[in-house]
Amino acid sequence: PHDALAAVIIVTAADCLAFAPPIRTAYDKPDEENAVAYMFSTGRNFLALFSLQSFAVVNWLYPASLLLSDGGFALLLLWRRRRLKSEGF
């Protein structure tokens, strides 16, 4: 069980670190990313969390991290688009 938890933690951390470049791009050029795809991914991971039969950390950590990162990324895109539009860009 500890090996599985370590693996999930490593994969989750790597996935979170891989979000750094898209976040920079999304902040500068939010129209180049597809917010709808990230919203669908957020919904998928929300449903995945509630379909778990066992709530062990090994089972819920990765989908929860995707739920937060994809949802946060979609919100960032929408916020930046609105902000840039209001500034006239």
Side-chain angles (χ1 to χ4, degrees), residues 5-28:
L5 180 58
V8 170
I9 289 171
I10 290 168
V11 168
T12 301
D15 200 55
C16 289
L17 289 174
F19 247 108
I23 288 173
R24 284 193 309 235
T25 302
Y27 190 83
D28 293 334

Side-chain angles (χ1 to χ4, degrees), residues 6-61:
V8 170
I9 289 171
I10 290 168
V11 168
T12 301
D15 200 55
C16 289
L17 289 174
F19 247 108
I23 288 173
R24 284 193 309 235
T25 302
Y27 190 83
D28 293 334
K29 302 172 189 173
D31 291 322
E32 291 186 6
E33 292 285 347
N34 186 352
V36 174
Y38 287 97
M39 288 182 218
F40 276 117
S41 179
T42 301
R44 178 194 66 212
N45 288 301
F46 179 80
L47 293 174
L49 282 174
F50 285 98
S51 68
L52 293 174
Q53 293 181 2
S54 169
F55 287 99
V57 175
V58 171
N59 295 337
W60 64 258
L61 181 62

